[in-house]
């Protein structure tokens, strides 16, 4: 069983920064893909940034140049550094690990970008 625990959300002003962290249990990030997704109110969940077992990284276009995903395979943690935040980044952010064709999700952490 894979368990994911996110932390680091909160309220930030436009232009500010936040770092999200995800502690993973029961997974090996050297073997499993991981990433961050978000869901804004009234919208579908979307992929924000993903990292493959080999370290290939993909970002949704709207966050390129502002967000950075990283992982620590020794600690089995995945992080998302978010800079130059915009109101449209407001959403619940979910950590994801995919193992043996199954997606596992954390409970989510709320990020609110507002003045």
């Amino acid at each position: 069983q894979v368990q994911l625990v996110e932390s680091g959300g909160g309220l930030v002003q436009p232009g500010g920064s936040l770092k999200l962290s995800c502690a993973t249990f029961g997974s090996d990030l050297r073997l499993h893909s991981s990433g961050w997704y978000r869901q804004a109110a009234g919208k579908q969940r979307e992929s924000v940034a993903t990292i493959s077992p080999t370290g290939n990284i993909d970002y949704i276009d709207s966050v390129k140049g502002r967000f950075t995903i990283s992982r620590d395979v020794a600690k089995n943690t995945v992080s998302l550094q978010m800079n130059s935040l915009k109101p449209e980044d407001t959403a619940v952010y979910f950590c994801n690990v995919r193992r043996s064709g199954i997606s596992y999700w954390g409970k989510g952490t709320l990020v609110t970008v507002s003045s």
Side-chain angles (χ1 to χ4, degrees):
Q1 185 72 13
V2 176
Q3 291 185 322
L4 311 175
V5 180
E6 302 107 333
S7 61
L11 172 64
V12 63
Q13 292 186 341
S17 298
L18 279 177
K19 185 174 183 177
L20 306 182
S21 296
C22 175
T24 75
F25 304 92
S27 70
D28 185 342
L29 296 183
R30 295 167 298 181
L31 303 177
H32 309 133
S33 62
S34 58
W36 289 92
Y37 290 66
R38 68 185 180 188
Q39 187 166 16
K43 295 187 177 181
Q44 290 188 331
R45 191 173 299 187
E46 63 179 358
S47 172
V48 176
T50 58
I51 184 165
S52 74
T54 57
N56 290 327
I57 291 174
D58 285 311
Y59 296 101
I60 191 173
D61 284 347
S62 60
V63 308
K64 286 180 179 177
R66 301 189 297 122
F67 291 11
T68 302
I69 188 172
S70 61
R71 66 179 181 178
D72 185 328
V73 296
K75 297 181 179 179
N76 273 324
T77 59
V78 185
S79 298
L80 186 68
Q81 177 67 44
M82 305 184 293
N83 299 327
S84 302
L85 283 160
K86 304 176 180 180
E88 51 262 43
D89 295 317
T90 295
V92 178
Y93 284 71
F94 298 89
C95 181
N96 171 270
V97 167
R98 189 167 179 84
R99 188 186 80 173
S100 301
I102 299 174
S103 276
Y104 296 87
W105 299 93
K107 293 183 178 180
T109 184
L110 177 63
V111 172
T112 303
V113 184
S114 175
S115 56

